[in-house]
Amino acid sequence: IENAIGGPVAKPDAVVGLVRNMTSFNDDNVKLDAALKAQLHRIAETHGGKVPLHGRLFAQWLHYVFPRECPFPHKAGTAISMSPNEYGESYMASENEVESHAASRNSSFTAIHEIESEQWMSQWSEDEELQADYSLQLQAPWERSHGSTLLVGSMILLLCAAAGIFTVAGKGAAKSQHGAGLLPKAHFV
């Protein structure tokens, strides 16, 4: 995706256009519904309008688009991988267990399908973990540069300073014309 986009961040519409043209493992067309598109736009809103392609939220989004091809990205430190041998000698299911499970799943397919559709995206987590430094490409909405505000503020400050100098100079000229203000005042007690 990064090669096609041409960088480590992308606008959500560019990602949608690219992913829409991909196929799943079974060569099925990708189904991007409104909820997935909205979720991608929320990821972009979090990062100032662009999606970081090496972030946990985007990997999570890809998991929901390609559930068999992209593993779910658990938060760092929350999941541990174990080898099958760590489960003991009965870590593999027997042929009878496989057939029994498949038969029960096939008989209750509609009920399972309804449950799965209700639980769709139930594991979604808003916790972001960026795998690279995006400080040059991304800014959070509250960190955006306020360069134009700074420029206008500087101009106003300069105008006020210039007006203040002219006002002080104007008062000094008026005093010198009347003879006052030529000598400093002194009071002796």
Side-chain angles (χ1 to χ4, degrees):
I1 292 176
E2 184 177 1
N3 286 340
I5 296 291
V9 295
K11 298 245 181 223
D13 293 333
V15 173
V16 167
L18 182 65
V19 170
R20 184 178 286 141
N21 292 325
M22 295 179 169
T23 58
S24 67
F25 182 72
N26 298 333
D27 287 333
D28 295 332
N29 288 334
V30 175
K31 294 175 182 81
L32 289 175
D33 61 2
L36 281 170
K37 291 176 188 174
Q39 197 67 31
L40 188 64
H41 281 276
R42 278 193 288 275
I43 294 169
E45 286 172 12
T46 304
H47 298 289
K50 293 186 180 177
V51 177
L53 302 180
H54 298 285
R56 186 184 162 280
L57 289 177
F58 182 62
Q60 190 173 205
W61 185 82
L62 283 174
H63 167 73
Y64 285 104
V65 175
F66 302 105
R68 293 189 175 146
E69 291 85 359
C70 300
F72 184 82
H74 294 280
K75 291 182 276 185
T78 61
I80 304 170
S81 62
M82 296 176 67
S83 70
N85 291 334
E86 292 180 70
Y87 289 100
E89 290 189 25
S90 60
Y91 65 89
M92 281 186 62
S94 68
E95 287 293 324
N96 290 337
E97 289 173 325
V98 171
E99 289 174 12
S100 161
H101 181 73
S104 67
R105 179 150 173 99
N106 288 340
S107 66
S108 61
F109 178 74
T110 56
I112 290 173
H113 185 67
E114 289 174 10
I115 291 170
E116 285 177 351
S117 66
E118 290 174 8
Q119 293 178 349
W120 186 78
M121 290 186 75
S122 64
Q123 289 186 324
W124 186 270
S125 166
E126 295 292 334
D127 297 328
E128 178 68 290
E129 294 174 2
L130 298 176
Q131 304 299 320
D133 180 18
Y134 287 97
S135 59
L136 297 177
Q137 292 92 358
L138 299 175
Q139 288 184 331
W142 57 88
E143 295 175 336
R144 290 196 181 124
S145 173
H146 298 290
S148 60
T149 306
L150 185 61
L151 180 64
V152 170
S154 299
M155 293 301 290
I156 290 172
L157 183 63
L158 285 173
L159 289 174
C160 289
I165 290 172
F166 291 127
T167 303
V168 170
K171 286 182 182 177
K175 283 184 180 180
S176 65
Q177 288 176 355
H178 298 295
L182 292 176
L183 297 174
K185 292 184 181 180
H187 295 283
F188 295 103
V189 179

